[in-house]
Amino acid sequence: MSNLNEAYWETFEAKRKKLKSEIANDPWRLTFHQMPETGWLNDPNGAIQFNGTYHLYHQYVPDNPEGGLVHWGHKTSADMVNFHEEEIFLSPEETYDRDGVYSGSALENNGIIHYFYTGNVKNDGDHDYTFSGREQNTIHMTSKDGFTIDSKRVVIAHEDYPEGFTDHIRDPKVFEKEGTFYMILGARALNHRGKILIYSSKDLDHWHYEGVFLEGDKEMGYMFECPDFFETEERDVVIFSPQGLKATKHAYSNVHNAGYYLGHVDWDNLSFIPESSFKELDRGFDFYAPQTFEDESGRRILWGWMGLGDISPEYSNPTVARGWQHAMTLPRELTVENGQLKQRPLKEYESLRKNEVKTAVKVSESYELENQNPRTFELILTLEQLGESLSVHMKEDTVLSYDGQIFSLAHGPSGFGRSERTVEVEDLTRIHVIADTSSIEIFLNDGDYVLSTRVYPKHEKDTIRFEGDAELSIEKWDLEI
Ligand code: FRU
């Protein structure tokens, strides 16, 4: 018996068949990124490496590309590059999660995977501000293998959360520190400030409320979703997805934004003390609700939901008409080096490189690089010298440019209504682009900034064109999986 609830299962197969036929032959299906087999995908959940196998679960609505009742989809991998689509792992079938098995995390303890997720229940009434209309229960679930659920029970019921909060308390992230387990939860306080709550436990089943781990001020928006936390040798890192941040000239430009503080935890008071400003993890159009995990080699790896995106009303994702929507970013390795969070694409993806081109060029006005495979490629530009400016044209009408101060990512018609994202970078020396059929991820200066975006070109013959005034070394590969 699959983990999918029976009533849903009955109607699901027919719809899936239809969606699959719409999807077949869609040239915008990604090749080395994870996406929904059919329907809708949002947040990464329960990311873990267990007995060598990587598991990526995710928010998933298999029968509707525009979202709806969320399940946990499931993909596995032995090498973080080739993934296998698994059966739906978790579906809303209990009274405490009947309106969606929301986001959560996983950790291993004594050879068992322990998952924590939010069971969403919408009763009649107000779903946002009171304690009557919505329930968000915290559920503990176990599995011996990552495929079959052995146990499931509510460990913090919605009525047991502390006073002073709206119905929005969710997205448990659990970690262990010196024999104690901690759970952090994102929350919206009654005064419409975002907060992260912290609980402790000795046995993963009984949880004790410890207080507020991180408190947002007015500037930080009204709700913190998807909190995450890890330690590095240099600093502790807290990641979350605040809702309601005001856009500034160059930052927080999407519907919602995700970012981090570097700082340290005061373990006596169980509170996080930020020592940096709040920084966005990604400055492109498509990034939200990331989750990290430590793999068996000790790397801290992050996946983000490459979706949500632009605030402009005219933007719509053209894959919806083809039966699916959204994807994950490439997995990135996170490190903190000299007070700076760095994000780099996982080394494993270098195995996809084919047909290397290496050249040094002096651009004055215009230079074209033949691009045999405009669908999927990687480009590393080292800026040896910059005159007034440099622009790089790719994917038919997407333009990356730098003028010594501002880096810009601008879309044309294939961006479907998206305009421009900008980052102030004082000394840009390296632009690293990873392009899949309908996505571009750009890493600046070896991971100081990242910009992720979806793009929908027609895939006609295409070149990479450079304009402006600069001296460059260029490395380029086709990427083939
Ligand atoms: C973030 C989020 C989470 C929630 C999930 C529901 O995108 O809103 O807070 O658990 O999505 O799908």
Side-chain angles (χ1 to χ4, degrees), residues 40 42-43 45 59-60 68 70 101-104 118 136 170-171 223-226 241 243 288-289 305 308:
W40 161 279
N42 59 304
D43 316 355
N45 295 149
Q59 293 284 282
Y60 185 29
V70 274
V101 289
Y102 273 19
S103 285
T118 299
Q136 299 213 311
R170 60 174 169 267
D171 308 335
M223 166 72 191
F224 292 173
E225 294 191 310
C226 300
S241 297
Q243 299 187 310
Y288 194 63
W305 169 29
L308 202 62

Side-chain angles (χ1 to χ4, degrees), residues 29-30 33-37 41 75 85 324 326-328:
R29 291 291 281 174
L30 294 153
H33 284 80
Q34 299 315 306
M35 60 192 160
E37 189 186 36
L41 166 152
K75 295 164 196 293
E85 184 77 31
W324 67 289
H326 299 316
M328 291 299 165

Side-chain angles (χ1 to χ4, degrees), residues 361-367 389-390 466-471:
V361 297
K362 204 165 168 3
V363 179
S364 54
E365 296 188 356
S366 189
Y367 170 81
S389 68
L390 170 75
F466 300 86
E467 285 183 3
D469 171 15
E471 278 180 43

Side-chain angles (χ1 to χ4, degrees), residues 346-376:
L346 276 203
K347 268 221 154 300
E348 284 89 326
Y349 285 83
E350 291 177 11
S351 67
L352 304 186
R353 292 174 175 176
K354 300 275 149 47
N355 307 327
E356 180 174 85
V357 174
K358 275 195 183 181
T359 179
V361 297
K362 204 165 168 3
V363 179
S364 54
E365 296 188 356
S366 189
Y367 170 81
E368 260 185 19
L369 186 69
E370 209 182 310
N371 197 11
Q372 297 292 354
N373 179 1
R375 287 168 53 81
T376 54

Side-chain angles (χ1 to χ4, degrees), residues 384-439:
E384 312 289 358
Q385 211 163 27
L386 180 72
E388 289 252 301
S389 68
L390 170 75
S391 63
V392 190
H393 302 241
M394 59 179 64
K395 290 272 179 198
E396 295 172 3
D397 52 19
T398 294
V399 187
L400 319 186
S401 59
Y402 183 58
D403 65 3
Q405 287 177 332
I406 307 287
F407 176 84
S408 142
L409 155 67
H411 280 307
S414 67
F416 277 79
R418 290 140 174 248
S419 50
E420 190 184 18
R421 290 287 176 268
T422 50
V423 187
E424 277 177 290
V425 199
E426 241 170 51
D427 189 13
L428 181 60
T429 54
R430 192 170 191 267
I431 305 174
H432 183 176
V433 176
I434 299 189
D436 202 336
T437 49
S438 60
S439 71

Side-chain angles (χ1 to χ4, degrees), residues 116 140 153-156 181 201-207:
F116 293 85
H140 175 201
R153 65 182 277 266
V154 175
V155 286
I156 312 172
F181 298 102
S201 173
K202 286 285 176 198
D203 62 5
L204 293 167
D205 263 328
H206 300 88
W207 291 91

